[in-house]
Amino acid sequence: MKGTITKSKITGLGIILLLGLLISSCDKLNETPIENFKGTWKLEGRSMFNGIEIKIEENSGVKLIGKVVSLNDNKYVKMFVETNDTWVTGIRRTSNYEFRLTEKKIGSDLFSIYDLETTKEYKVEFIDEDTIGLGSGDSKPTESSVKYIRVKNE
């Protein structure tokens, strides 16, 4: 019959509308700009490093790196870290919303003498525009207690 709506047409239309809604509301399909890392961040979730502030900016306009701008009162931090030391040695994209952030280990100069790893790489995702979650292994960065909290936008 002409002009009748069948059950299969309604079902097909419903599926198309549902898929459209899901795709348009999914943030993971939108690419997170790597420039969102620029700014001053406070470390949180690792007791030894809590309160350290890192400023992430472009190095020679090519690569994002993070320098220490403020230390905390931890005796090991005071022993091995100085203001203006490089903390974040690199950030690279792995998908639209996931990144890899490489941190220099505290005491890395000592580790290098014994041919040990001097950096640690984390999976990172933005939890919101002012919070970055860091994960390692199979942990989800968005559910991690280890975070960078934005102090100042650059």
Side-chain angles (χ1 to χ4, degrees):
M1 286 187 181
K2 195 174 189 181
T4 61
I5 300 175
T6 64
K7 188 176 181 179
S8 64
K9 285 182 182 178
I10 292 174
T11 304
L13 184 59
I15 290 172
I16 290 171
L17 288 173
L18 182 61
L19 285 173
L21 179 63
L22 287 173
I23 288 172
S24 67
S25 66
C26 186
D27 287 338
K28 303 221 184 229
L29 295 178
N30 298 324
E31 186 173 282
T32 303
I34 197 162
E35 289 79 24
N36 287 4
F37 284 96
K38 291 180 183 177
T40 303
W41 302 86
K42 183 168 35 172
L43 306 184
E44 184 180 287
R46 296 174 283 181
S47 59
M48 182 186 293
F49 303 141
N50 282 346
I52 294 175
E53 291 185 7
I54 308 297
K55 182 176 182 179
I56 298 176
E57 57 190 352
E58 285 185 22
N59 180 20
S60 305
V62 179
K63 181 179 171 184
L64 291 176
I65 61 164
K67 299 266 188 178
V68 177
V69 293
S70 177
L71 300 174
N72 64 13
D73 289 330
N74 183 280
K75 66 181 178 181
Y76 297 110
V77 169
K78 287 183 173 187
M79 187 182 305
F80 290 109
V81 182
E82 294 181 12
T83 303
N84 209 33
D85 280 354
T86 300
W87 187 274
V88 176
T89 59
I91 300 171
R92 65 182 171 84
R93 175 183 303 284
T94 57
S95 76
N96 281 352
Y97 62 95
E98 295 174 318
F99 299 87
R100 292 281 181 177
L101 181 142
T102 305
E103 284 185 348
K104 195 171 168 185
K105 287 184 178 179
I106 188 170
S108 60
D109 293 338
L110 180 62
F111 292 152
S112 68
I113 292 171
Y114 296 101
D115 203 26
L116 299 171
E117 291 291 321
T118 59
T119 60
K120 172 127 172 108
E121 188 174 81
Y122 295 94
K123 297 184 299 188
V124 297
E125 288 183 43
F126 279 87
I127 296 170
D128 59 45
E129 68 181 40
D130 294 324
T131 310
I132 303 169
L134 281 72
S136 56
D138 291 334
S139 68
K140 294 181 181 178
T142 55
E143 298 173 6
S144 175
S145 62
V146 180
K147 298 175 180 148
Y148 280 31
I149 308 293
R150 189 185 307 271
V151 174
K152 190 165 102 178
N153 209 350
E154 301 301 317

